[in-house]
Amino acid sequence: MGPEQIARGRFAFRVKLALAVIALAAAVLSICESSEPWSDRIRPAVPGPFPLVRPFSGEFRFGWSDIGAASAKARLWYSGDSILVEIEGGTDGLVRALWQLDARHKAVILKEGLKSVAFEQLEKYARKRVRTEAVFKPDGLWRIRAVTPGPKDVAKWKKIKVEPVRDTISAMLFIRSQVLNDGDTIGVVAFPGDAPFLVEVTVAKHEQIKIAGVSRKAIKLDFQIQRIEVKKHRLAPHGKFRSGSVWLSDDENRIPLRAEVDVFIGYVFGELASLRFD
């Protein structure tokens, strides 16, 4: 092989090497571009070591700026490999005269992995009803939402293209399962029924709070919420939510004791009124 052939061979090798580098760079860029902006904020990937909550029935009261506005009853129990949850409540007192709402929520969650299976939610307002059903299938989350009265033949099953995603109850149980040391951060994607949201939780501190006049040991969790605009591949501020905190009992149960949320209409709270373990 002469010097000219050797030179041509070396040149061809360099061209192939350059093309391989360009192809590799393009592949890496493609992966980076396809990665959703919220994907690296979902952590951890699996439930923590804290044991499952015992079956219970509880009552909660809700209010706005320390004025009672609503109440709800919640029940959680187990059937085989599933966790079953039912919540029912609505506005009451003077607030009901201004804003009538009765709501019922049912959810099914797998014990293993705390994965969502399905949920059904019915909201009854003074002049309309909203029924939402969601099923978490192997190929993704499917949802149907019907408003009555409303246009006919509008409600159809729709696939929500975001993964991994949990319903609200599953997200709460997932967060509860983590170690929850001060400073820990947890990120989950929750789907309450209308759109998916990135929920980011920070363990603020362990402290004492008073619930119904009784001092309780609690874990304070601060959280932020952002709407996931799936089609635009971006996060957007929640239109009504500003910031919030939840206190879990710092014991073997980790039951929600109180929640405070700063929204566009002011200060909203929810608090445990009574609890019975089955």
Side-chain angles (χ1 to χ4, degrees):
M1 181 181 294
E4 186 176 345
Q5 290 177 312
I6 294 174
R8 281 201 297 266
R10 288 176 178 174
F11 177 75
F13 173 76
R14 289 169 183 169
V15 170
K16 291 179 181 179
L17 180 61
L19 291 175
V21 171
I22 291 171
L24 178 60
V28 171
L29 288 174
S30 175
I31 293 171
C32 292
E33 288 175 358
S34 64
S35 177
E36 304 294 3
W38 57 85
S39 59
D40 61 345
R41 296 161 72 170
I42 301 173
R43 58 184 184 274
V46 296
F50 203 83
L52 292 172
V53 63
R54 290 185 288 162
F56 71 89
S57 299
E59 296 185 9
F60 297 83
R61 65 185 187 92
F62 304 89
W64 169 44
S65 299
D66 292 326
I67 300 173
S71 60
K73 294 181 179 180
R75 183 185 172 213
L76 181 148
W77 72 102
Y78 299 100
S79 178
D81 61 356
S82 298
I83 305 170
L84 306 180
V85 179
E86 285 189 3
I87 304 171
E88 189 168 0
T91 53
D92 51 32
L94 295 175
V95 173
R96 191 170 181 83
L98 301 174
W99 186 48
Q100 181 179 327
L101 168 64
D102 294 297
R104 184 177 70 245
H105 185 95
K106 297 181 179 180
V108 181
I109 302 156
L110 289 178
K111 289 181 182 178
E112 186 170 351
L114 299 177
K115 295 179 180 179
S116 302
V117 176
F119 74 80
E120 175 185 324
Q121 182 171 288
L122 177 62
E123 305 160 62
K124 296 181 181 179
Y125 299 92
R127 297 183 179 180
K128 70 175 181 179
R129 294 187 179 190
V130 181
R131 179 182 290 277
T132 305
E133 292 182 55
V135 180
F136 297 77
K137 298 182 178 181
D139 66 336
L141 165 60
W142 290 83
R143 181 213 71 175
I144 187 170
R145 190 174 179 88
V147 180
T148 308
K152 295 182 179 180
D153 301 326
V154 171
K156 295 180 180 180
W157 284 98
K158 176 184 178 182
K159 185 177 180 180
I160 309 298
K161 297 179 181 180
V162 58
E163 288 289 344
V165 60
R166 301 175 178 273
D167 74 286
T168 306
I169 306 299
S170 170
M172 293 172 61
L173 294 175
F174 182 87
I175 293 168
R176 174 192 172 278
S177 75
Q178 303 302 324
V179 176
L180 301 184
N181 290 322
D182 289 0
D184 286 353
T185 58
I186 304 157
V188 297
V189 174
F191 183 77
D194 55 345
F197 292 87
L198 174 65
V199 182
E200 294 181 289
V201 175
T202 301
V203 182
K205 57 183 174 180
H206 290 60
E207 62 179 355
Q208 296 279 142
I209 65 169
K210 280 192 174 182
I211 300 295
V214 179
S215 182
R216 300 281 299 269
K217 292 174 63 178
I219 308 170
K220 183 184 180 184
L221 309 176
D222 293 334
F223 62 95
Q224 299 290 332
I225 296 176
Q226 290 179 282
R227 180 186 292 272
I228 296 176
E229 296 183 346
V230 179
K231 291 184 179 180
K232 296 181 179 180
H233 302 278
R234 69 182 185 186
L235 296 171
H238 192 290
K240 301 176 182 179
F241 174 89
R242 293 178 182 173
S243 61
S245 298
V246 174
W247 285 263
L248 300 179
S249 61
D250 188 9
D251 54 21
E252 71 277 10
N253 300 312
R254 282 191 178 174
I255 294 292
L257 298 176
R258 184 176 174 85
E260 296 178 1
V261 180
D262 184 15
V263 295
F264 75 109
I265 59 172
Y267 165 78
V268 178
F269 74 90
E271 189 172 276
L272 178 66
S274 66
L275 179 69
R276 185 185 72 252
F277 289 102
D278 299 335

